Amino acid sequence: MDASFDTAHDLVAINTIRTLAIDAIQRANSGHPGTPMGMAPVVYTLWQRHLRFDPEDPIWPNRDRFVLSSGHASMLLWSMLHLSRVKAVNPAYEVLGEPAVTLRDIETFRQLGSKCPGHPEYRWTSGVEATTGPLGTGVATSVGMAIAGTWLAERYNREGFPIFDFDVYALAGDGCMMEGIASEAASLAAHQRLSNLTWIYDSNRVTIEGHTDIAFTEDVAARFVGYGWNVVTVADANDTDAIDRALADARAEGERPTFVVVHSHIGYGSPAREDTPAAHGEPLGPDEVKATKRAYGWPEDAQFLVPDGVYERFAAGVGARGKAAREAWMTMFASYREAHPELADELMRIQRRELPDGWDGEIPEFPADPKGIASRDSSAQVLNAIARHVPWLLGGAADLAPSTKTRLTFDGAGDFQADDRTGRNLHFGIREHASAAISNGMSLTKVRPYWSGFLIFSDFARGAIRLSALMEIPVIHIFTHDSIGVGEDGPTHQPVEHLMSLRAMPGIAVIRPGDANEVAEAWRFIMRSEHEPVALILSRQALPTLDRSRYAPAAGLLRGAYVLADAGDGDPDVILIGTGSEVGLVVDAYERLVSNGVHARVVSMPSWELFDRQPREYRDTVLPPSVLPRVAVEQATTLGWERYVGSAGAVVGMHTFGASAPLKELQTKFGFTPDRVVEIAQEQMKAQMR
Ligand SMILES: Cc1ncc(C[n+]2csc(CCOP(=O)(O)OP(=O)(O)O)c2C)c(N)n1
Ligand SMILES: [Mg+2]
């Protein structure tokens, strides 16, 4: 079939997208029909006329990306994936013959097991580029994809081999534009001159509570001009020629990201619901479904109808363009492999999240040192040692690199900027939420990202950290200044509840290493992690480097918790558990108890998550169930420690905010001294004997 635009045929295809959404939402009796109805022509035009995406291979590395930042409008994406017959891909990156989204999935929209959940979920449905729903986060994620695209192009493209030149598109609504994270990301995207990035703004001027006049009256287009974007306006979302021109303009733009403002009507075509907030998040209702179908010239009783020729139309549009582009790329890649075998090998590894041979060859071993080294500093050494061997490990800080020590300092590491795309040090600016979302986007594009900030500000990034866990992508979130150990900066900068709140999040490993060698082991775990993000929690202050000939090897970190020291055979009299900066303190207390003849044990517990994954047998050897006297020491909220110390055990932790004072004084004030820990251990032993 001819792929050229033909208003009648295109309108049937567009109305198929709309009516599938209407029917699925009516059947589910929940969902958001308004935006699929309003924006169907825009997304259709993008896919049919511009997107270089092959439904036969939705993970082809140089595909254009489409991110539905208005995640509530998921039916728009499900209709597109179904109608263009995108193929499913399994976790081994194999393309399966079956469709990613069947008509049956659409009929069971929002039901358990359907490939069409309420919001787009990466890894659950093939063709979804990013999990979206938390507004603003999808557009920020798209910036990470665009950054990764330019970095990959610079590193891997060679004369005659444009291996990477993909574009990134995101669709956003009023809600995304109101969220702060979108502003953070838009500002950085313009600074970085990401001309491979286009955001399409669905300006329907309606949100849940009503018309945007109630809360959002700024000039959004002017804002984006201010950031430095190329701003284009489409006056009518149904004008497919105007949309086509705007997207062509975006592709021709070589210096700036493009912002396409599309004036649209939420619930377009529904006689009673168009332009109303009710169209946003309610099914139309049986009568209005019929009235709307009549308005579209659609058979009013037909449900889940895909008229003859519609699949073929998608196949002739996005299907044919995508196939041609991918096949040309495959042919090019075969010659590239001959001409540049090492680069091609790297690329294949990146795609499979594999590491280069010898990546860990330079990880240092730290000699015992009672004065020690801050874990942020040992981490800096380890990170640099690894990054020298893993070219696609890149990242930065939210303007805190001199404090978080995450800068790559070796020759050639460079700074990533518009005029140097090879740089591996990113400057995220003071934008924590966007830093995490951008890192997610980079990870979805398969480079290995890290970003860093103070642990206290992890709250600012939490929404995007959570999405990295939900998507099961190996983003490295690095947080330093991990406790009251920060000292003089005081309670605004001293995290208390943050560690526990990160541990409360499923799907992310929180690691708080106790000394430099545990830091090295933490990085070994991090780098091997293919499908799980990590929060690495580091200290500002020096931590003694333990003598590992005297205490157990740091490799115990990989099991989450391990017996660091034990004063004798058999069950101990008391178990002291410490994490991070408190391991040294607990070891001091242990030595005192031992010199008093107590059979004490020290357990270093850098990661609850890794420990909980161990077989019960191992866990019971570390924390024998029969040994009740237990003390956990951590400069943070105590909530949750009962699971390891039991209801009778003791926890030395924080019950209030911290204070501004030198660290030593804070340690005394809040009870983090060897004397206090010894005292509590003795109370524990007494109490359990009674
Ligand atoms: C961070 C965040 N806050 C709140 C919500 C709940 N929410 C979902 S959609 C929506 C309104 C979105 O309005 P708009 O982006 O204009 O979408 P439209 O109604 O035009 O489809 C809200 C508040 C959310 N998904 N994410
Ligand atoms: Mg809106």
Side-chain angles (χ1 to χ4, degrees):
M1 180 180 276
D2 181 7
S4 64
F5 256 32
D6 156 339
T7 318
H9 282 111
D10 286 322
L11 194 57
V12 171
I14 289 165
N15 285 335
T16 308
I17 300 169
R18 288 172 164 147
T19 51
L20 284 178
I22 290 170
D23 288 339
I25 291 161
Q26 191 59 44
R27 171 82 52 97
N29 201 22
S30 83
H32 303 77
T35 290
M37 292 160 72
M39 291 303 277
V42 177
V43 175
Y44 177 76
T45 306
L46 169 63
W47 283 49
Q48 287 288 76
R49 305 278 285 178
H50 295 275
L51 204 70
R52 291 167 297 172
F53 172 83
D54 185 0
E56 293 286 323
D57 184 358
I59 60 167
W60 160 49
N62 195 37
R63 69 190 181 280
D64 287 348
R65 271 69 170 173
F66 173 71
V67 175
L68 182 69
S69 193
S70 308
H72 57 278
S74 62
M75 261 316 303
L76 185 49
L77 185 57
W78 305 141
S79 294
M80 294 305 294
L81 295 178
H82 173 69
L83 294 171
S84 51
R85 293 203 262 217
V86 171
K87 292 279 189 330
V89 179
N90 70 13
Y93 308 111
E94 294 156 351
V95 179
L96 307 171
E98 65 214 41
V101 170
T102 63
L103 208 50
R104 175 84 194 132
D105 290 315
I106 289 181
E107 287 168 2
T108 55
F109 175 52
R110 289 179 164 244
Q111 309 309 306
L112 203 60
S114 170
K115 288 292 170 186
C116 301
H119 292 83
E121 289 182 42
Y122 176 76
R123 97 195 142 66
W124 174 246
T125 311
S126 304
V128 173
E129 300 284 7
T131 295
T132 51
L135 296 172
T137 320
V139 280
T141 304
S142 75
V143 172
M145 294 175 176
I147 285 175
T150 62
W151 188 88
L152 288 165
E154 190 67 28
R155 180 166 178 89
Y156 295 104
N157 291 1
R158 288 293 181 274
E159 187 74 44
F161 295 109
I163 298 292
F164 289 105
D165 62 0
F166 64 82
D167 290 316
V168 181
Y169 298 91
L171 176 65
D174 300 301
C176 288
M177 289 307 123
M178 288 189 222
E179 289 290 350
I181 187 174
S183 302
E184 295 178 13
S187 166
L188 186 62
H191 167 78
Q192 286 287 355
R193 291 194 232 135
L194 298 173
S195 61
N196 55 348
L197 178 67
T198 299
W199 289 3
I200 301 170
Y201 168 34
D202 170 22
S203 175
N204 60 26
R205 306 187 55 76
V206 168
T207 62
I208 291 177
E209 291 185 4
H211 193 275
T212 48
D213 280 355
I214 60 173
F216 191 54
T217 42
E218 71 193 33
D219 183 340
V220 180
R223 189 175 119 201
F224 276 73
V225 170
Y227 292 140
W229 286 57
N230 169 36
V231 176
V232 188
T233 302
V234 173
D236 175 3
N238 287 309
D239 184 346
T240 48
D241 288 337
I243 298 160
D244 186 33
R245 282 195 302 275
L247 294 172
D249 183 309
R251 287 180 61 190
E253 169 64 47
E255 281 291 309
R256 300 168 294 175
T258 295
F259 189 65
V260 182
V261 184
V262 180
H263 295 281
S264 75
H265 296 278
I266 194 166
Y268 174 81
S270 157
R273 293 283 174 90
E274 186 175 314
D275 288 330
T276 70
H280 162 88
E282 292 172 30
L284 297 182
D287 294 342
E288 192 61 15
V289 168
K290 284 190 185 180
T292 305
K293 286 180 180 168
R294 271 201 302 278
Y296 292 152
W298 209 252
E300 65 176 52
D301 290 319
Q303 291 200 358
F304 301 100
L305 173 68
V306 181
D308 285 349
V310 169
Y311 291 117
E312 291 76 6
R313 190 133 197 96
F314 278 88
V318 63
R321 184 178 341 89
K323 183 171 156 63
R326 179 175 61 96
E327 285 178 356
W329 190 90
M330 291 296 186
T331 308
M332 173 175 66
F333 191 74
S335 330
Y336 180 78
R337 204 176 218 159
E338 309 249 297
H340 306 285
E342 283 172 17
L343 292 177
D345 172 67
E346 271 186 34
L347 270 180
M348 297 317 289
R349 288 181 194 240
I350 292 178
Q351 292 306 314
R352 295 182 166 275
R353 299 205 186 282
E354 290 165 7
L355 290 162
D357 300 334
W359 66 274
D360 56 352
E362 280 187 61
I363 294 182
E365 206 181 300
F366 294 87
D369 175 5
K371 261 201 2 255
I373 173 173
S375 50
R376 61 174 171 162
D377 288 312
S378 50
S379 178
Q381 291 183 33
V382 178
L383 168 63
N384 272 277
I386 294 171
R388 274 195 288 274
H389 297 277
V390 185
W392 53 93
L393 175 61
L394 56 160
D399 197 49
L400 285 171
S403 298
T404 59
K405 308 287 175 88
T406 45
R407 188 170 173 80
L408 302 182
T409 51
F410 49 89
D411 274 356
D415 292 273
F416 180 87
Q417 291 291 356
D419 58 4
D420 182 9
R421 299 294 195 202
T422 61
R424 293 173 58 190
N425 286 294
L426 267 71
H427 299 279
F428 290 102
I430 307 153
R431 305 176 176 108
E432 289 81 6
H433 201 182
S435 302
I438 288 169
S439 300
N440 290 351
M442 292 167 66
S443 182
L444 291 164
T445 319
K446 301 288 182 73
V447 298
R448 204 66 213 281
Y450 62 87
W451 77 279
S452 65
F454 290 160
L455 179 58
I456 192 87
F457 303 129
S458 61
D459 284 344
F460 283 48
R462 193 172 174 84
I465 297 171
R466 185 173 193 275
L467 285 179
S468 70
L470 184 55
M471 289 192 276
E472 300 182 6
I473 49 174
V475 174
I476 309 166
H477 307 278
I478 302 176
F479 298 118
T480 66
H481 297 57
D482 68 351
S483 65
I484 56 162
V486 169
E488 291 85 344
D489 270 342
T492 59
H493 282 56
Q494 293 164 345
V496 173
E497 73 280 22
H498 302 72
L499 253 181
M500 229 28 112
S501 81
L502 287 168
R503 285 179 185 143
M505 193 182 280
I508 181 168
V510 180
I511 308 182
R512 187 172 186 240
D515 78 344
N517 288 307
E518 281 196 10
V519 167
E521 293 303 322
W523 275 102
R524 281 186 220 279
F525 171 81
I526 290 168
M527 292 307 295
R528 289 195 188 105
S529 172
E530 292 175 6
H531 298 291
E532 184 183 30
V534 170
L536 180 64
I537 314 292
L538 302 170
S539 74
R540 169 178 175 267
Q541 75 277 21
L543 311 180
T545 307
L546 296 173
D547 177 353
R548 297 287 170 170
S549 63
R550 191 143 170 229
Y551 302 106
L557 173 135
L558 298 171
R559 309 197 80 167
Y562 62 103
V563 178
L564 185 65
D566 205 6
D569 296 330
D571 282 351
D573 301 329
V574 61
I575 303 174
L576 309 178
I577 309 171
T579 84
S581 50
E582 286 67 76
V583 172
L585 163 62
V586 161
V587 167
D588 275 359
Y590 161 89
E591 296 292 358
R592 291 184 200 196
L593 287 165
V594 173
S595 62
N596 288 338
V598 175
H599 177 180
R601 167 181 290 191
V602 178
V603 170
S604 175
M605 193 170 214
S607 174
W608 286 20
E609 293 79 11
L610 299 192
F611 185 61
D612 289 351
R613 278 173 214 169
Q614 301 306 315
R616 156 142 241 144
E617 206 176 58
Y618 175 77
R619 285 181 281 128
D620 286 351
T621 58
V622 177
L623 300 174
S626 56
V627 181
L628 298 182
R630 299 181 186 195
V631 186
V633 187
E634 188 170 69
Q635 288 177 357
T637 300
T638 59
L639 172 77
W641 269 112
E642 314 78 43
R643 70 196 294 185
Y644 302 112
V645 298
S647 52
V651 187
V652 182
M654 294 294 293
H655 302 278
T656 62
F657 293 115
S660 170
L663 172 59
K664 275 260 163 292
E665 285 172 43
L666 292 176
Q667 284 169 335
T668 310
K669 174 176 164 63
F670 292 107
F672 297 100
T673 60
D675 286 348
R676 179 87 186 116
V677 175
V678 166
E679 199 181 313
I680 291 175
Q682 279 159 345
E683 280 169 22
Q684 274 285 305
M685 288 185 289
K686 247 189 252 151
Q688 305 298 345
M689 271 159 52
R690 251 187 266 129

